[in-house]
Amino acid sequence: MDLVRVALDVPLSRFFDYRLPVGESLSSDDIGRRVRVPFGSRSRIGIIVELPATTDASPEQLRPLEAILRDLPPLPADWFRLTRFCAAYYQAPLGEVMLSTLPKGLRRTDPPKARTPKRKATPPAAETPPALTEGQRAVLDTIVDPAADKPASAAPASDFAAYLLHGVTGSGKTEVYLRLIERALAAGRQALLLVPEINLTPQLEARVAARFPQAGLVSLHSELTEAARTRAFRAAFLGEARIVLGTRLAVFTPLPDLGLIVVDEEHDASFKQQDGLRYSARDVAVFRAHERGVPIVLGSATPSLESWANANAVFNPPGAKSAEARPGTRYTLLSLPARAVAGAVLPPLRCVDTRREKLQDGLSAALLAAIGERLARGEQSLVFLNRRGYAPVLSCTACGWVARCTRCTANLVLHLADRRLRCHHCGFEQRIPPACPSCGNQDILPFGRGTQRIEEVLSARFSEARIVRVDRDSAKSRKQWEALLERIHGGDADILVGTQMLAKGHDFPRLTLVGAIGADAALFAADWRAPERLFAQLLQVAGRAGRAGLPGEVLIQTEQPQHPLYQALARHDYPAFAAQQLAERAQAGFPPYAYQAMLRAEAPLMEEAIAFLSAARAWPEIASHTAVMCYDPVPMRLARRANYERAQLLVESSSRRALQAFLTPWREFVAATRVSSRLRWHLEVDPLEF
Ligand code: ADP
Ligand code: ZN
Ligand code: ZN
C-alpha cells in the first residue's frame, strides 16, 4: 500500500498517515510537497514529511489524501532542518511550526485564483555607490567573500562566519550591507536582509531597489495582502528574487541559493515573536546561516548584550558559565566608530537636571530655549517621549478615584484627541466621564504626560511652529506612516513629537536637536532588561540628530544626571555601558550567563493559573535534573489582562543543554496535565519580558 506521512497544523507532536489515491504516485522527491487531506470533518493543507513503509494506523483510520499540490516545488531539505531545529529548540509541535512558516495563501484549502500582477516599469540604471570610507573598507575586507576565487582544493565546506557589526548611528552600516549583497549577487547567490519593523522597510526597500534594480527584490512582512505575500514567497523560493527584505517571518523563506544573511538593528525586540511560535528571528537566522554554511552579519549601534557577549571573549572567558554558544557559534566583532558623512560627528549629549529646574508643563527651560533656537534657524527638533496618549492617569482630586480598566490591572490612558479613555493592554475604551463616577466631583484631572499633551504644550508655546506627532495613534497604518514621513522629509515640520517609532533608522537631514523626556522611569523598572532597552532607545534617538553635516545636540531631562547609564550615554560609550551591565548580569546570574524558559498560564481565577503551574512544578522527574532550577509560580506584573489572571514559572540553568534536556520531557508532562477549558498556557524559551 502507498502510505504518505503528513505534517499538519495541529498542537500535537505527531504526524498523520494517509493513503495515496489510486492512480497517483509519489517518489522521495515529493517529500516537502503540500497536500490536501481530510482531517475530522474538514480538509486541511499539510506537508509530506515521509513515505513510510508501514503505519500504526488501522485500515479504517487510513483515509486517502485528497490532492497533491504541484504549484510549487517541494520544500527543501534545509527548510526541514530549520523547522525541526525551531520545533526542538522552542519546544513547539513540528507540524505547527512547519505550517506557520508558510504564507496563508499556501495553507488554504480554497486558494484564490492567482492573478498576474501588473508588471513593474523596466528599472532604470543602477545608482552608483559612494566611495567607501576607510572604516567600511576595513569591515568589508574582514568579512568572508563567497565570490572570491578559491583554489578548488582549499575550498572550505562552509563559508559560515557570524559577525557583529557595531557601528555608531550614521556610520554607514547600510552601505556595508549593500556591498555584501553586491558580492553575494556576483557569486550567483541570494541575500536575505532582515529588519525589525515594517515601518523601516519603505526607505530601505527604495535604497536596495535603486542599487540593484535587476535583482527582483521582494519584501516580506505582515502588512502585505495575502496574495502579495504568497507572490513574494514564491519568487524567493523559485530563486527569481535574488534579494529578500523582510521582517522576522521572512527568516523561514526557502531560498535555494542563499549566500548571505544580514540582520539589521539586531538588538531590536521585535525580532522576537510574542505569540504562537515564540522564536527569535535573530537567533534562528544565526542557526540558519550556520546550517547553510553562509556568512551572517548582525548590525547595530547598540547590540543586544547576548550578541555583545558572544563577540567579546572577555565576557565569555573559557570555562565561564556561558561557554555554550547560543544557536550557532561565537561572533567576530567589527566596528564603525565614526559617522560616514564627512564632517558629521556624533552630537554632544547633555543631561538637564530636573531636580534643580522647575519644569513648565514637563519641559525644561533649557529644552524650550533650544527648540526656540532651532525654529529661528529653520531646523527641526524632536521631542522623544515613549508614552502615547494625553496622560497616563485620570484622577479625581476630591476622592482619589483613578480611571482603571475593569479587565486589566492597569490604568486607562486619557486620549484627548478623540476624548476617550483607553486601555493599552486590552484595547478596552470608553468615553471620558463628565464627573467622578465615585463621588460626583466635576474636577477630574489628567496626571502625567503623553505625546498628545506634549504636542499641545508645544503648540501653545510655539504657535507659529508646524508640529507633527508620530506615534501608534497618528500612524496607525503604513499609509499614514508614509504620509507623515513624507511630510517630515519635505520640510513641512518644525517640531516632531514622538515615541520610539521615530527613534530607529530614519535620516532627517534638518534635524539638529533631540530632547528626551520621561526617560527616568525605566531606570527603576522591575524588569532587569529595562536599562538595556533604555540605553538603546536613547542612543538610537540621539543618533537622529546632526546626521547631514549640521551639528546636532541632545538634551536628556533627568533627575539622575550622575547615573552610570546617562554618563556612558553622554560619552556615546556603548562598550562601557555593556561592560557594566554584563558585570551585573554575571553577578546576578542573569542571561547571557544563564538560560531561561518561562511557563505562563492564564485563567479567570488566579488560583487556577497558580494551581496549574504548581502541578507542572510537581513533575516527578524534576529532581533528576539537578542542573536546572525551577522557581515558584508567581503572578505576573500585569496580573490581570482582558479578564484573565496571569501567572508564570521561571526555569533556569547555567547550561543550555541541561535546560533543553529538561524542557522536552517536561513540556510533554505539562501538555498531558488536565486543565479546565478556561485555562491557557504556553512555554517560552529565551523570554525577553518578565
Ligand atoms: P547607519 O545605518 O550606520 O546609521 P547609514 O547607512 O544610514 O548609517 O548612513 C548614514 C549616512 O551616511 C547616509 O546618509 C549615507 O548615505 C551616508 N554614507 C554611508 N556611507 C557613505 C560613504 N562611504 N560615503 C558617503 N556617505 C556615506
Ligand atoms: Zn471622586
Ligand atoms: Zn484592559
Side-chain angles (χ1 to χ4, degrees):
M1 184 169 25
D2 283 330
L3 296 170
V4 187
R5 190 155 290 163
V6 175
L8 291 174
D9 186 4
V10 290
L12 298 170
S13 306
R14 53 163 295 207
F15 298 131
F16 298 86
D17 290 349
Y18 290 89
R19 252 187 308 118
L20 194 64
V22 185
E24 289 274 11
S25 72
L26 286 175
S27 77
S28 60
D29 289 345
D30 290 300
I31 289 175
R33 242 183 228 298
R34 281 151 43 249
V35 288
R36 195 176 74 230
V37 298
F39 189 82
S41 57
R42 306 178 9 201
S43 296
R44 281 178 186 253
I45 296 297
I47 296 166
I48 303 178
V49 293
E50 203 185 330
L51 301 176
T54 60
T55 177
D56 292 338
S58 65
E60 314 80 76
Q61 284 175 322
L62 209 58
R63 299 159 80 182
L65 55 80
E66 294 169 356
I68 301 166
L69 306 177
R70 298 182 187 275
D71 55 336
L72 275 177
L75 291 154
D78 74 292
W79 180 88
F80 274 89
R81 288 192 289 272
L82 183 67
T83 47
R84 280 215 164 85
F85 160 79
C86 284
Y89 186 87
Y90 294 110
Q91 307 293 329
L94 182 53
E96 226 174 56
V97 174
M98 286 180 159
L99 273 302
S100 72
T101 67
L102 299 184
K104 215 174 182 179
L106 299 178
R107 282 182 275 151
R108 286 167 78 109
T109 49
D110 58 336
K113 276 228 158 50
R115 277 178 301 132
T116 346
K118 274 178 281 174
R119 276 234 156 268
K120 283 191 190 141
T122 351
E127 150 216 288
T128 21
L132 293 172
T133 65
E134 243 170 73
Q136 288 167 331
R137 157 83 33 229
V139 162
L140 284 163
D141 284 346
T142 313
I143 297 174
V144 173
D145 183 354
D149 285 334
K150 295 174 201 116
S153 56
S158 165
D159 279 325
F160 172 72
Y163 303 91
L164 178 61
L165 174 57
H166 172 225
V168 300
T169 50
S171 58
K173 293 186 286 296
T174 312
E175 187 59 37
V176 171
Y177 307 152
L178 292 172
R179 298 300 179 104
L180 291 172
I181 291 171
E182 185 181 357
R183 284 184 190 171
L185 297 180
R189 313 290 288 271
Q190 288 171 293
L192 173 61
L193 175 54
L194 297 176
V195 292
E197 277 188 57
I198 307 164
N199 290 336
L200 293 182
T201 56
Q203 281 181 317
L204 190 59
E205 201 177 326
R207 260 185 96 178
V208 179
R211 186 69 64 86
F212 307 106
Q214 312 293 342
L217 168 72
V218 293
S219 54
L220 272 167
H221 54 74
S222 57
E223 260 197 34
L224 292 178
T225 63
E226 192 184 310
R229 201 178 140 196
T230 305
R231 267 201 308 275
F233 181 93
R234 282 181 70 94
F237 185 9
L238 297 175
E240 295 161 7
R242 308 308 291 174
I243 307 175
V244 176
L245 170 66
T247 53
R248 60 178 181 253
L249 55 89
V251 73
F252 296 106
T253 317
L255 297 164
D257 303 318
L258 180 64
L260 168 75
I261 304 181
V262 173
V263 183
D264 190 23
E265 310 288 359
E266 68 88 32
H267 64 282
D268 199 288
S270 55
F271 283 119
K272 183 79 193 264
Q273 172 129 318
Q274 301 289 5
D275 53 25
L277 176 66
R278 288 161 204 263
Y279 65 97
S280 152
R282 178 197 64 215
D283 293 350
V284 172
V286 174
F287 171 85
R288 187 170 189 188
H290 185 247
E291 206 274 324
R292 284 290 295 263
V294 304
I296 179 165
V297 177
L298 311 177
S300 177
T302 51
S304 65
L305 292 174
E306 281 81 2
S307 297
W308 190 249
N310 273 334
N312 286 271
V314 54
F315 299 117
N316 273 309
K321 277 186 170 178
S322 60
E324 282 177 61
R326 303 175 69 75
T329 169
R330 297 296 174 68
Y331 311 157
T332 302
L333 181 62
L334 306 168
S335 296
L336 288 174
R339 288 193 152 175
V341 174
V345 290
L346 290 171
L349 195 149
R350 190 157 61 82
C351 286
V352 178
D353 188 343
T354 54
R355 289 167 310 183
R356 289 155 187 251
E357 200 187 312
K358 203 169 163 317
L359 297 178
Q360 306 166 36
D361 297 312
L363 299 172
S364 60
L367 182 53
L368 289 168
I371 293 172
E373 281 170 32
R374 294 327 186 275
L375 278 174
R377 291 208 295 264
E379 295 169 7
Q380 280 175 341
S381 312
L382 188 170
V383 178
F384 171 69
L385 166 63
N386 221 351
R387 178 181 275 152
R388 66 193 172 91
Y390 186 83
V393 179
L394 180 69
S395 163
C396 169
T397 50
C399 75
W401 167 86
V402 170
R404 293 182 66 79
C405 179
T406 52
R407 318 192 317 159
C408 308
T409 40
N411 292 341
L412 291 172
V413 177
L414 179 62
H415 285 251
L416 218 48
D418 51 0
R419 306 203 57 80
R420 310 287 285 176
L421 288 169
R422 278 205 183 89
C423 175
H424 285 189
H425 299 284
C426 73
F428 170 83
E429 58 173 81
Q430 65 179 57
R431 282 212 309 273
I432 299 170
C436 172
S438 172
C439 74
N441 171 24
Q442 307 238 326
D443 210 11
I444 47 177
L445 291 179
F447 287 89
R449 281 166 200 90
T451 45
Q452 290 178 5
R453 193 170 196 177
I454 293 298
E455 178 189 19
E456 181 187 87
V457 170
L458 287 168
S459 45
R461 235 13 248 198
F462 303 107
S463 50
E464 74 285 15
R466 293 159 301 174
I467 302 178
V468 177
R469 174 166 57 83
V470 182
D471 55 29
R472 270 201 288 131
D473 298 311
S474 70
K476 276 205 186 80
S477 68
R478 182 161 150 149
K479 266 224 169 68
Q480 285 175 321
W481 169 246
E482 280 173 27
L484 283 176
L485 275 186
E486 206 161 296
R487 197 177 151 194
I488 299 168
H489 278 285
D492 187 19
D494 302 311
I495 308 176
L496 318 178
V497 180
T499 59
Q500 54 161 350
M501 280 186 90
L502 273 179
K504 297 176 203 168
H506 304 290
D507 222 346
F508 303 127
R510 295 204 62 77
L511 181 74
T512 59
L513 172 70
V514 169
I517 62 183
D520 284 351
L523 290 180
F524 308 104
D527 185 344
W528 46 268
R529 281 191 216 266
E532 179 182 0
R533 281 196 293 267
L534 176 64
F535 189 90
Q537 262 175 16
L538 291 178
L539 204 69
Q540 296 281 348
V541 75
R544 300 309 113 211
R547 284 166 74 95
L550 293 171
E553 182 186 17
V554 181
L555 299 178
I556 295 180
Q557 293 188 180
T558 171
E559 295 189 352
Q560 307 278 329
Q562 298 309 319
H563 194 286
L565 187 149
Y566 293 132
Q567 296 287 311
L569 198 65
R571 299 191 309 268
H572 293 272
D573 194 348
Y574 169 81
F577 170 73
Q580 176 263 328
Q581 284 287 308
L582 283 169
E584 278 184 21
R585 300 261 185 106
Q587 180 117 43
F590 286 150
Y593 302 100
Y595 300 96
Q596 299 180 326
M598 192 74 92
L599 182 64
R600 297 199 185 90
E602 46 183 46
L605 297 175
M606 183 56 84
E607 296 90 89
E608 291 175 88
I610 297 279
F612 170 78
L613 296 178
S614 302
R617 202 180 179 288
W619 184 40
E621 284 163 56
I622 214 160
S624 65
H625 291 268
T626 49
V628 174
M629 173 76 187
C630 199
Y631 290 84
D632 285 328
V634 288
M636 288 175 66
R637 206 156 354 112
L638 184 69
R640 184 179 180 81
R641 192 178 67 187
N643 282 333
Y644 271 82
E645 302 281 344
R646 309 169 344 130
Q648 63 188 20
L649 184 165
L650 177 66
V651 183
E652 192 178 81
S653 176
S654 60
S655 157
R656 155 75 65 213
R657 211 167 291 135
L659 183 66
Q660 290 288 321
F662 168 88
L663 289 177
T664 307
W666 186 54
R667 189 193 182 279
E668 268 175 39
F669 171 78
V670 172
T673 306
R674 273 183 160 281
V675 295
S676 82
S677 59
R678 306 186 304 174
L679 186 134
R680 304 188 290 229
W681 66 273
H682 70 259
L683 179 62
E684 178 169 1
V685 178
D686 301 334
L688 274 189
E689 278 170 33
F690 284 80

